[in-house]
Amino acid sequence: MIPLNDLLLFAGACLLLVLTPGPNMIYLISRSLCQGRMAGVISLFGVVVGFLVHMLAAAVGLSAVFKTVPLAYEILKWAGAAYLMWLAWQAVKPGARSPFEPRALPADTPRKLFTMGFLTNLLNPKVAIFYVSFFPQFIDPERGSVFMQSVTLGLTQTAVSFMVNLLIAISAAGIAAWFARNRTWMAAQRYLMGGVLAALAVRMMMEPRR
């Protein structure tokens, strides 16, 4: 299976990536600020279920690619590297917005909170693209089942995202106020994210053919 050092590297990258602005974080922060912590937590559980759907789809798809079309991995690798470079540019481009600029949202029932969290994640194409472009860096068919490796990575990413977003949901008001007073750190964070994503893209491009 996946070596511990590779899994820790993957978890560290996921930790940085989950802090990158995106629809999930913006929705959770906005919901927590507008309707309270519990609303943010309920929405988060919907987001987690969405992650599990993306994970299973990616695991099945990557298993088929690795087994039946070896050349497809090369195409996927370069497409994934290009996508990561695009994400790096999105992080550092002029005018990039902070996720801690919430939208005003009306109050919703717990059922709708869960459903909206689920749909926000499920219908976000960036999540699916991230799974397909990022996982191949850490999967090696010689280590065993590609499907189980994909599931391991997916569960790791989901766990990291859940823990970080849970902390954000229960302390959204304080975090938003802190970032409002520390714009310099926010700018530094964007460049850090861009650098990490660019480095991951280069690593993907340097990977030998499998």
Side-chain angles (χ1 to χ4, degrees):
M1 297 305 290
I2 303 173
L4 180 59
N5 60 327
D6 283 358
L7 195 59
L8 291 175
L9 176 62
F10 176 79
C14 288
L15 177 60
L16 293 173
L17 288 168
V18 75
L19 297 174
T20 302
N24 292 336
M25 181 181 289
I26 292 172
Y27 178 73
L28 291 174
I29 292 172
S30 299
R31 183 52 67 189
S32 296
L33 290 175
C34 293
Q35 198 172 339
R37 297 175 179 176
M38 185 55 66
V41 172
I42 294 172
S43 300
L44 174 58
F45 280 111
V47 169
V48 168
V49 175
F51 274 130
L52 296 179
V53 173
H54 281 296
M55 176 196 71
L56 291 175
V60 172
L62 288 174
S63 296
V65 166
F66 275 87
K67 288 181 179 179
T68 61
V69 191
L71 179 60
Y73 172 76
E74 287 297 304
I75 298 173
L76 186 62
K77 180 178 75 173
W78 288 97
Y83 172 67
L84 291 175
M85 282 293 190
W86 180 81
L87 285 180
W89 166 245
Q90 294 301 304
V92 302
K93 71 177 183 180
R97 294 187 61 187
S98 166
F100 296 94
E101 297 176 6
R103 298 171 293 149
L105 299 174
D108 285 330
T109 63
R111 180 176 181 178
K112 188 171 182 180
L113 290 171
F114 180 90
T115 302
M116 289 304 299
F118 172 70
L119 292 176
T120 297
N121 195 7
L122 185 67
L123 300 179
N124 180 10
K126 292 183 180 180
V127 177
I129 296 173
F130 163 74
Y131 272 54
V132 174
S133 65
F134 199 58
F135 279 21
Q137 297 184 75
F138 297 89
I139 293 175
D140 187 346
E142 295 182 359
R143 297 173 183 158
S145 170
V146 171
F147 179 83
M148 290 307 301
Q149 290 182 66
S150 298
V151 169
T152 300
L153 294 173
L155 291 177
T156 300
Q157 186 272 336
T158 300
V160 171
S161 295
F162 174 78
M163 290 185 291
V164 172
N165 282 314
L166 179 61
L167 291 174
I168 289 174
I170 62 179
S171 57
I175 294 175
W178 188 89
F179 277 115
R181 298 191 303 267
N182 295 270
R183 295 289 182 178
T184 300
W185 190 94
M186 179 58 69
Q189 180 260 352
R190 290 196 296 109
Y191 284 103
L192 175 62
M193 292 302 106
V196 170
L197 292 167
L200 290 172
V202 171
R203 170 177 171 165
M204 179 178 283
M205 289 185 286
M206 298 299 292
E207 283 286 320
R209 183 169 183 172
R210 296 174 182 174

